[in-house]
């Protein structure tokens, strides 16, 4: 098809060049845009983090443990289907030089719509075999209904990615937070007014998907999408996305297969405890992964499009992400049982050690994520796939070995340890691209170890009854925060000066 050349579309195609001219004329610099984007993203995710904790506290008291086990299985299947069909539409829009052109964006949206519909058909066909395999008849109905989220998500506007490309993250952050709030509200309402079962979680997923898709069209600036086909644009997306496809297939195998494997080892209620614990432990890595995708990746991509090397800025850009990750994960490692005791009913007490083990593994996931964004921004998606392959090999070796040595507990340790293999491969890959970060990684890993030990010792002070839980939480928070504050003092000062400058500008 020929490219639409209306004035509206021509204006849209000029957005990146306008941004570059604005920067050259004294407009917002890339550093300023990145700082503003990071502030919006971290603020929204901090609020979202608290919201998820509140949701965990509430829902574990409203729903049976088996509901979380079933939800974990559904999420694993749907994530697998999403990843097995991922052709990198979003990253292509952010990374590609044509990512601001109407023909490219509309072709990307057309691919997204078709993919969403195909996913729902596949999920529906797999529902009954999946239910039989897991010996859970409910899944035959749950999976097709939950699969409707893929149809809805497929219609989301490409404006989400163009805003991300330009580091305009204020509305995206507000949209994400609002979606989470509605999801939790619908889930709680269903659990209290309709039925306290896994259907409450599914209803929340659907409500969140519909709201997010609607807002992506109505609340974001830019030109709307239409069905369109540009052969060269499609070829470019598929060519870039073929390695993303392989990487995401491997990501599913290494990121979601734990629940599918453990479902054959343990009862459904125990799987529910594991799923809740995993959700808590992986929150920091999820938040920081989103920060890397929404801020770090666009920054690296823009530098690469401008022909600039990443080696000189790599350590500087990723350092705040690693500091934030170390601080959050240090608290999880030191105070996992304390966090569980505060948030969850007494029947979830075994989740405490699971949180600690998975949080330790998540540190290497955070390190790998910052490596992977640099590789992806330079078009090296094949090297990102190699990192996921490294973790898969680690899982194949370590999970059976752990299970043989220590049963389910050993298998969890083996799964967490497999993150080291993925990180090791990614560290070698970025080093070969002239983007070395292993010295920074080693130094901050020792800081994490020290901060975790300080917090862990503090968590052992005093008694073990419930009256001491909040005291332990305060001690862990203070100890871990003190260690990371010393290391991140420079960043804290820079953040304080930036906030003061922005506040003065608003008042002036």
């Amino acid at each position: 098809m020929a490219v639409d050349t209306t004035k509206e579309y021509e204006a849209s195609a000029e957005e990146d060049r306008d941004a570059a001219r604005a920067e050259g004329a004294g407009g917002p610099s890339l550093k300023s845009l990145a700082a503003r984007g990071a502030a919006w993203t971290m603020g929204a995710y901090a609020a979202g983090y608290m919201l998820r904790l509140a949701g965990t506290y509430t829902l574990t008291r409203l729903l049976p443990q088996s509901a979380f086990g079933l939800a974990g299985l559904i999420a694993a299947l749907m994530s697998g289907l999403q990843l097995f069909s991922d052709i990198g539409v979003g990253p292509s829009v952010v990374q590609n030089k044509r990512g601001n052109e109407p023909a490219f964006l509309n072709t990307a949206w057309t691919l997204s719509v078709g993919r969403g519909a195909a996913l729902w058909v596949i999920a529906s066909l797999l529902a009954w075999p999946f239910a039989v395999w897991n010996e859970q008849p409910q899944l035959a109905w749950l999976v097709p209904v939950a699969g409707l989220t893929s149809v809805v998500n497929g219609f989301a506007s490409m404006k989400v990615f163009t805003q991300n490309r330009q580091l305009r993250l204020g509305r995206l952050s507000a949209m994400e937070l609002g979606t989470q709030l509605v999801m939790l509200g619908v889930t709680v309402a269903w659990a209290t007014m309709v039925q306290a079962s896994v259907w409450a979680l599914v209803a929340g997923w659907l409500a969140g998907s519909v709201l997010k898709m609607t807002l992506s069209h109505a609340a974001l600036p830019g030109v709307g999408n239409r069905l369109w086909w540009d052969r060269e644009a499609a070829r470019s997306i598929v060519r870039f996305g073929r390695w993303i496809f392989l990487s995401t297939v491997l990501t599913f195998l290494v990121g979601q297969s734990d629940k599918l494997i453990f479902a054959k080892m343990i009862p459904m209620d125990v799987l529910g405890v594991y799923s809740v614990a995993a959700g808590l432990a992986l929150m920091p890595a999820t938040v920081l992964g989103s920060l890397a995708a929404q801020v770090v990746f666009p920054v690296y991509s823009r530098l690469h499009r401008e022909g600039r090397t990443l080696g000189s800025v790599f350590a500087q850009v990723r350092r705040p992400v690693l500091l934030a990750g170390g601080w959050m994960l240090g608290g999880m490692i030191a105070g996992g049982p304390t966090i569980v005791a505060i948030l969850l009913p007494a029947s979830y007490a075994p989740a405490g050690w699971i949180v600690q083990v998975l949080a330790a593994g998540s540190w290497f996931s955070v390190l790998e994520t910052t490596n992977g964004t640099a590789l992806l921004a330079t078009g090296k998606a094949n090297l990102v796939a190699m990192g996921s392959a490294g973790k898969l090999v680690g899982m194949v070796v370590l999970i059976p070995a752990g299970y043989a040595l220590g049963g389910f507990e050993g298998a969890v340790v083996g799964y967490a340890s497999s993150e080291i293999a993925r990180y090791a491969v990614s560290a070698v890959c970025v080093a070969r691209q002239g983007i070395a970060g292993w010295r920074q990684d080693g130094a901050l890993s020792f800081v994490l170890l020290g901060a975790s030990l300080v917090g862990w010792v503090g968590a052992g002070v005093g008694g073990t009854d419930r009256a001491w839980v909040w005291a332990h939480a305060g001690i862990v928070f203070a100890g871990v925060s003190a260690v990371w504050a010393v290391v991140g003092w420079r960043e804290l000062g820079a953040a304080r000066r930036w906030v003061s400058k922005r506040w003065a500008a608003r008042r002036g």
Side-chain angles (χ1 to χ4, degrees):
M1 289 186 180
V3 178
D4 194 323
T5 57
T6 62
K7 292 182 179 180
E8 188 177 37
Y9 274 102
E10 289 173 351
S12 175
E14 287 288 324
E15 285 180 337
D16 278 359
R17 289 190 289 273
D18 288 345
R21 285 193 291 268
E23 183 175 339
S29 66
L30 180 59
K31 183 177 180 180
S32 175
L33 288 171
R36 186 183 307 167
W40 272 110
T41 303
M42 287 303 293
Y45 275 98
Y49 189 85
M50 299 305 296
L51 188 61
R52 283 193 289 272
L53 291 178
T56 300
Y57 179 90
T58 303
L59 294 176
T60 52
R61 287 160 173 79
L62 289 176
L63 301 176
Q65 292 177 351
S66 59
F68 297 101
L70 288 168
L73 290 175
I74 297 168
L77 176 63
M78 294 308 303
S79 295
L81 292 176
Q82 292 279 351
L83 295 173
F84 269 76
S85 63
D86 189 0
I87 56 173
V89 169
S92 292
V93 172
V94 174
Q95 192 265 353
N96 198 286
K97 291 182 179 180
R98 293 188 60 195
N100 59 354
E101 296 179 10
F104 191 94
L105 293 171
N106 287 328
T107 301
W109 188 71
T110 302
L111 287 169
S112 178
V113 170
R115 172 176 173 260
L119 285 177
W120 178 75
V121 172
I122 296 171
S124 299
L125 292 174
L126 291 176
W128 183 76
F130 189 65
V132 172
W133 171 257
N134 288 285
E135 300 177 357
Q136 297 293 328
Q138 297 178 71
L139 291 173
W141 297 101
L142 286 163
V143 169
V145 176
L148 290 172
T149 58
S150 64
V151 179
V152 176
N153 293 337
F155 280 91
S157 174
M158 292 295 107
K159 289 187 282 187
V160 170
F161 304 116
T162 57
Q163 292 291 291
N164 193 187
R165 175 186 172 99
Q166 297 155 16
L167 289 167
R168 298 174 181 173
L169 303 180
R171 296 191 187 188
L172 290 179
S173 299
M175 189 171 76
E176 188 69 33
L177 185 60
T179 299
Q180 292 182 38
L181 185 61
V182 169
M183 285 176 60
L184 177 58
V186 170
T187 303
V188 171
W190 189 288
T192 54
M193 300 171 63
V194 182
Q195 185 183 39
S197 70
V198 67
W199 284 103
L201 296 168
V202 173
W205 296 343
L206 282 170
S209 294
V210 171
L211 177 64
K212 191 171 184 179
M213 184 273 293
T214 303
L215 291 176
S216 73
H217 289 278
L220 297 178
V223 179
N225 296 123
R226 66 185 69 178
L227 294 176
W228 198 267
W229 191 256
D230 181 293
R231 183 177 299 177
E232 183 56 37
R235 186 181 295 116
S236 177
I237 293 170
V238 172
R239 186 166 54 245
F240 179 72
R242 61 188 177 183
W243 287 110
I244 293 181
F245 167 75
L246 177 59
S247 177
T248 51
V249 167
L250 293 169
T251 297
F252 166 72
L253 293 175
V254 302
Q256 295 293 334
S257 57
D258 58 328
K259 299 178 184 67
L260 301 178
I261 293 171
F262 295 155
K264 290 296 183 181
M265 294 181 182
I266 54 179
M268 192 57 59
D269 57 342
V270 180
L271 182 64
V273 172
Y274 173 83
S275 296
V276 172
L280 288 173
L282 299 180
M283 276 185 191
T286 301
V287 169
L288 295 170
S290 297
L291 178 64
Q294 294 186 12
V295 179
V296 179
F297 176 56
V299 169
Y300 286 156
S301 295
R302 180 165 167 181
L303 292 172
H304 180 67
R305 290 197 302 271
E306 294 172 354
R308 297 156 67 180
T309 61
L310 304 186
S312 59
V313 299
F314 179 68
Q316 178 184 359
V317 171
R318 73 199 290 255
R319 180 176 165 87
V321 177
L322 299 184
L323 291 175
W327 174 62
M328 289 188 284
L329 291 171
M332 291 273 188
I333 296 168
T338 302
I339 294 170
V340 168
I342 290 173
L343 291 177
L344 306 179
S347 58
Y348 284 84
W353 69 267
I354 300 176
V355 169
Q356 290 176 301
V357 171
L358 295 182
S362 290
W363 169 245
F364 295 95
S365 175
V366 172
L367 296 176
E368 187 277 331
T369 296
T370 57
N371 290 339
T373 52
L375 294 172
L376 194 60
T378 56
K380 305 294 183 181
N382 57 319
L383 300 183
V384 179
M386 287 179 62
S388 296
K391 181 176 178 180
L392 181 59
V393 172
M395 288 175 60
V396 170
V397 174
L398 295 173
I399 291 180
Y403 188 71
L405 294 173
F408 171 62
E409 291 82 359
V412 173
V413 173
Y415 174 71
S417 300
S418 64
E419 283 289 355
I420 300 174
R422 176 159 62 175
Y423 162 71
V425 173
S426 75
V428 172
C429 289
V430 293
R432 289 186 174 180
Q433 301 299 311
I435 315 173
W438 62 269
R439 290 181 179 174
Q440 184 182 50
D441 297 344
L444 293 180
S445 295
F446 275 110
V447 175
L448 173 66
L449 178 61
S452 300
L453 286 174
V454 169
W456 181 72
V457 171
V461 173
T464 58
D465 56 71
R466 192 164 183 83
W468 277 90
V469 169
W470 285 100
H472 290 159
I475 294 171
V476 170
F477 177 82
V480 172
S481 298
V483 174
W484 283 105
V486 171
V487 177
W489 186 254
R490 181 180 62 188
E491 284 74 12
L492 290 173
R496 186 173 61 252
R497 288 191 297 273
W498 184 80
V499 172
S500 298
K501 184 177 180 181
R502 296 291 299 173
W503 178 252
R506 283 180 177 273
R507 295 187 65 183

